[in-house]
Amino acid sequence: MSLPQPPEPIAAARLLFSLDPAVSHLNHGSFGAVPIAVQRAQQRLRDEMEANPLRFFTQGLVDRIAHTRRHLAAFLGADPDGTALVPNVTTGVAVVLQSLGLRPDDEVLTTDHGYGAVGLAIARECRRTGAVSRTLPVPLAASGEEIVQIVRAGLRPGRTRLLVVDQLTSATARLFPVAAIVGVAREHGIPVLVDAAHAPGMLPAPVGDVGADFWVGNLHKWAYAPRGTAVLAVAPPWRERIEPLVVSWEQESGFPRRVEWSATQDYTGWLAAPVGLFTLRSLGVDRVRGHNAALAAYGQRLLGDALGVAPVDLPDPGGPGIAMRIVPLPAGLGTTLDAGRALRQRIAERLATEVAVMAWNGRGWLRLCAQVYNTPDEYERLAVRLPPLLAQR
């Protein structure tokens, strides 16, 4: 099977970022990369804040945050009145969990594709309340319909109080059919929390018609926002039950302001986030998505061939437009969280290349991302240089 053709590079796109040119940055999905224009917009806001902190925090800031929220919600296809800005997905998950009022023997249901920190948050809330968590195994090669059936069979009406499912998984780069899953859960009155950490900027209008009770996604990954920018979208029946992790002066204003306002935190990243969307739109949203997905697929095939993985054994993301792909590592490599971190560090130090190494289901996986600042030769160099490094155990 011949290699797919890499996409044409987007001219001068790398100049939009301040990334170290001596390093191949193939792991955009972990922390993103903030365009220079967005960095400068945030710095101007910080200058304004430091010029007169009292005026910045007390004259119009709440309204400026609300204006930003409306802008971001429109991009995501969310209801602005039901959307709160939060620092990241893990914060949004914690807000939802502690607002549910879990009781002893209530069940929180997840899949084995879930993000590790979310799993830790669920475990803590279960310890605090006496609830229990249960994980559904979902095969990597399961079709969308099969995933829905696995979830359907795993629900326990009357006991399952919350279903947590990823829209696009971090460890396995797999698109889940969340709208269909939400529909199945709704048949039994079970609320659904969608972890959409990678959806904003990669998927079109990712809140849209999903219909989840709770949806939380990061904009600092694929939507070019400053780090610490995420949104929590909440369905109408739940909004008045949502409580912030920290009570501050907007508590009596209700959702979403009571969640957004936490006194003297730095709000400049949120206020600069629309500049990230402007950058994305200037490049062309569909053009960026198409470029990134094609380049990630190209990189996956190159690394798969280099590591002796047949094309049919390379995991498919399960949908179009996905800018992350995974490649199985040789047996015994990166099979634990610590081993994966150590291998990632070796690759960074020896090959001047940033990747992600994910431990999932007893095996190590190399996760490759693609962004407009990447070019085919970065994946080609890694394909040549990685196998000898992995042989040095």
Side-chain angles (χ1 to χ4, degrees), residues 66 150 174 346 360:
I150 289 170
R174 182 64 203 271
R346 283 181 61 208
W360 185 80

Side-chain angles (χ1 to χ4, degrees), residues 60-74:
L61 180 55
V62 171
D63 290 336
R64 292 170 78 176
I65 292 171
H67 177 76
T68 298
R69 178 207 317 138
R70 288 192 291 270
H71 188 97
L72 301 180

Side-chain angles (χ1 to χ4, degrees), residues 43-374:
Q43 187 56 54
R44 288 193 296 271
L45 287 160
R46 283 177 171 153
D47 292 342
E48 177 191 347
M49 177 173 62
E50 297 306 332
N52 191 329
L54 188 65
R55 181 175 60 195
F56 182 85
F57 281 98
T58 64
Q59 296 184 24
L61 180 55
V62 171
D63 290 336
R64 292 170 78 176
I65 292 171
H67 177 76
T68 298
R69 178 207 317 138
R70 288 192 291 270
H71 188 97
L72 301 180
F75 175 76
L76 298 170
D79 176 3
D81 294 329
T83 302
L85 294 170
V86 292
N88 46 51
V89 163
T90 47
T91 300
V93 168
V95 167
V96 172
L97 287 172
Q98 62 93 37
S99 298
L100 282 177
L102 293 173
R103 296 171 294 184
D105 296 325
D106 283 345
E107 177 183 86
V108 179
L109 184 63
T110 64
T111 80
D112 60 354
H113 293 250
Y115 187 60
V118 171
L120 293 173
I122 292 170
R124 187 187 72 168
E125 192 65 15
C126 286
R127 286 195 303 271
R128 191 180 70 83
T129 62
V132 298
S133 64
R134 185 163 57 93
T135 302
L136 293 175
V138 176
L140 188 58
S143 67
E145 183 177 340
E146 289 169 337
I147 294 172
V148 173
Q149 293 308 316
I150 289 170
V151 172
R152 183 190 296 275
L155 295 173
R156 295 175 177 174
R159 185 172 184 190
T160 304
R161 283 288 311 282
L162 181 69
L163 170 63
V164 182
V165 64
D166 294 63
Q167 191 162 18
L168 177 59
T169 66
S170 177
T172 56
R174 182 64 203 271
L175 186 67
F176 270 37
V178 289
I181 290 171
V182 169
V184 167
R186 181 161 289 120
E187 293 173 6
H188 302 287
I190 296 171
V192 180
L193 166 59
V194 174
D195 177 346
H198 291 276
M202 193 188 302
L203 303 179
V207 180
D209 297 325
V210 168
D213 300 87
F214 315 101
W215 182 102
V216 59
N218 290 323
L219 284 97
H220 58 252
K221 292 180 183 287
W222 301 94
Y224 299 158
R227 292 173 197 87
T229 305
V231 296
L232 169 63
V234 178
W238 293 95
R239 291 173 188 171
E240 290 309 308
R241 297 176 58 179
I242 295 296
E243 292 287 345
L245 300 179
V246 177
V247 173
S248 192
W249 286 103
E250 289 294 322
Q251 177 66 17
E252 300 307 316
S253 298
F255 184 84
R257 285 187 175 182
R258 65 163 52 135
V259 170
E260 292 173 333
W261 187 261
S262 56
T264 51
Q265 79 168 42
D266 186 348
Y267 299 96
T268 60
W270 293 358
L271 300 182
V275 181
L277 297 187
F278 176 81
T279 303
L280 181 59
R281 289 176 172 129
S282 296
L283 291 169
V285 178
D286 291 339
R287 181 188 183 199
V288 168
R289 289 175 178 150
H291 169 275
N292 294 348
L295 189 54
Y298 178 72
Q300 183 192 43
R301 273 296 308 276
L302 281 175
L303 270 296
D305 287 355
L307 297 177
V309 181
V312 295
D313 294 327
L314 292 172
D316 186 276
I322 307 305
M324 301 192 302
R325 297 288 183 115
I326 60 171
V327 178
L329 290 168
L333 289 178
T335 57
T336 67
L337 181 62
D338 288 342
R341 287 172 174 169
L343 179 55
R344 180 193 61 78
Q345 188 64 24
R346 283 181 61 208
I347 295 171
E349 292 174 353
R350 303 278 188 87
L351 306 183
T353 301
E354 297 289 356
V355 296
V357 178
M358 321 299 286
W360 185 80
N361 206 20
R363 183 160 193 174
W365 303 82
L366 180 73
R367 192 188 72 185
L368 299 168
C369 299
Q371 189 48 265
V372 295
Y373 52 73
N374 293 128

